[in-house]
Amino acid sequence: MTQNRGRSGHIEHGFPHLATVRASITALFHRLSADGIRAYDTSFAPADAAFDAGDDLHLGAQRVAAATVRALRLPDARMVVSFREMEQAATVELAAGPEYFVEVSDRFRTHRRDLAAALAHEVTHVLLHRLDLRFPGTVENEILTDTAAAYLGAGWLLLDAYREDALTHQRFGYLTPEEFGYVLAKRAALFGEDPATWFTSPQAYEAYVRGRALAERDHRRTPLTAAGPLARRRYAKARRAGAGAGAGAGAGAGPADGSAYRFEQDGSGAGLRVSFPCPVCAQRLRVPVCGRLRARCGLCATVLDCTT
């Protein structure tokens, strides 16, 4: 796992990896199923991440690692944690198990508050390895790992390790702070939890708020009924163009709001249809253009109110 730290280190912001983040959420639902995702309804407890200077280094590291394993529902996996000087925050040796060897940077001997964040990423690697879930590119696979950690309840620790002020520039992982906030807000909406109370870093909380704002906009995009008047007018104009141009006509907003709805003529002659991403799992839905309707996502089972 990468780490960015030091007084002059540049920390990327915004949502440059949003398409991969959304694809990662979709992939998790495909691999685990909606019921499997909902089994991760309990997030990593802040008390389980606590590790102060008075704790024995190795016993404390093993305790936090075991808590991470439980949080990610890997009861038959054992993490053996060791410390060494290294550029990365941590690495894990992926094998058949049940023992996995995690090496973490020597800096965690003293910066213990962030050890749980480093372990959350590495244990998620083990989970995805066991699920045989991966993306082809190295960076894309790391984004998948960060997204899975956050969506399954342990990744809030990675965002809480983000600090950026006059003295410190630090973040862990491959997602930007705002992207972590976006994924955590998606999870919060699914399970009705409020991770904002867990953050010890003010900058982490601010990034969560920015990510949450984007996640909330996903639920107000057309053709969802909750969309605002301006978006509804743009949608109506695109719908008229789609009806007149036939198959292949469409309209979509850029990744800033994730709309990307597309119109097409139904091959059976039944009329115009619209496809759009589910605001929960990002799987594309395809429904008839017929006014007010309720659509059920076949992947995450979310029922959506739409005005098509």
Side-chain angles (χ1 to χ4, degrees):
M1 180 181 66
T2 64
Q3 62 179 328
N4 184 316
R5 61 189 179 89
R7 293 194 58 172
S8 60
H10 172 70
I11 293 179
E12 189 174 27
H13 287 281
F15 302 94
H17 313 110
L18 195 56
T20 306
V21 168
R22 287 173 171 154
S24 298
I25 294 173
T26 305
L28 285 171
F29 272 96
H30 273 294
R31 186 64 185 86
L32 290 171
S33 80
D35 288 340
I37 291 287
R38 286 175 172 83
Y40 289 85
D41 58 347
T42 303
S43 286
F44 194 104
D48 288 336
F51 185 20
D52 60 37
D55 291 338
D56 178 270
L57 176 65
H58 294 283
L59 291 178
Q62 293 301 141
R63 174 183 57 78
V64 174
T68 311
V69 166
R70 290 193 300 272
L72 290 173
R73 305 180 69 83
L74 283 166
D76 60 340
R78 296 191 299 273
M79 301 294 132
V80 179
V81 183
S82 62
F83 297 81
R84 71 175 176 88
E85 187 175 345
M86 57 194 297
E87 286 284 334
Q88 294 174 289
T91 62
V92 63
E93 179 184 326
L94 295 176
E99 283 193 336
Y100 296 87
F101 295 90
V102 180
E103 293 183 318
V104 296
S105 170
D106 265 339
R107 69 180 295 262
F108 293 110
R109 291 178 181 272
T110 53
H111 293 79
R112 298 183 178 189
R113 62 178 287 189
D114 297 325
L115 178 63
L119 291 174
H121 180 94
E122 302 309 324
V123 176
T124 305
H125 268 304
V126 173
L127 173 64
L128 297 178
H129 174 70
R130 288 191 166 195
L131 292 173
D132 194 26
L133 178 57
R134 65 179 64 84
F135 283 174
T138 299
V139 173
E140 290 77 10
N141 201 53
E142 294 290 351
I143 291 171
L144 168 65
T145 303
D146 280 342
T147 302
Y151 204 77
L152 299 180
W156 69 267
L157 294 159
L158 287 153
L159 178 54
D160 196 40
Y162 159 57
R163 288 180 284 280
E164 188 172 11
D165 53 36
L167 298 176
T168 305
H169 290 69
Q170 172 182 281
R171 75 174 176 93
F172 291 163
Y174 286 73
L175 298 186
T176 68
E178 291 80 9
E179 288 168 339
F180 270 119
Y182 174 83
V183 180
L184 291 171
K186 289 285 191 181
R187 173 184 168 81
L190 184 66
F191 292 111
E193 66 184 14
D194 182 13
T197 60
W198 304 332
F199 295 123
T200 61
S201 162
Q203 295 84 15
Y205 172 76
E206 293 165 2
Y208 170 70
V209 170
R210 291 191 292 270
R212 183 178 62 190
L214 179 59
E216 290 172 348
R217 287 202 294 273
D218 284 355
H219 290 265
R220 298 193 303 268
R221 63 192 177 198
T222 49
L224 299 176
T225 302
L230 181 59
R232 181 65 55 199
R233 286 195 294 272
R234 285 198 299 262
Y235 177 84
K237 180 179 179 181
R239 181 179 59 203
R240 290 192 296 270
D257 71 0
S259 297
Y261 52 79
R262 293 197 294 267
F263 296 101
E264 59 187 38
Q265 295 291 339
D266 189 285
S268 64
L272 193 66
R273 299 180 75 87
V274 61
S275 68
F276 61 96
C278 171
V280 173
C281 68
Q283 171 84 358
R284 291 198 73 85
L285 309 181
R286 188 169 174 266
V287 298
V289 174
C290 61
R292 189 77 178 260
L293 59 83
R294 302 188 83 194
R296 183 180 184 273
C297 178
L299 183 58
C300 68
T302 303
V303 176
L304 303 167
D305 285 318
C306 304
T307 303
T308 60

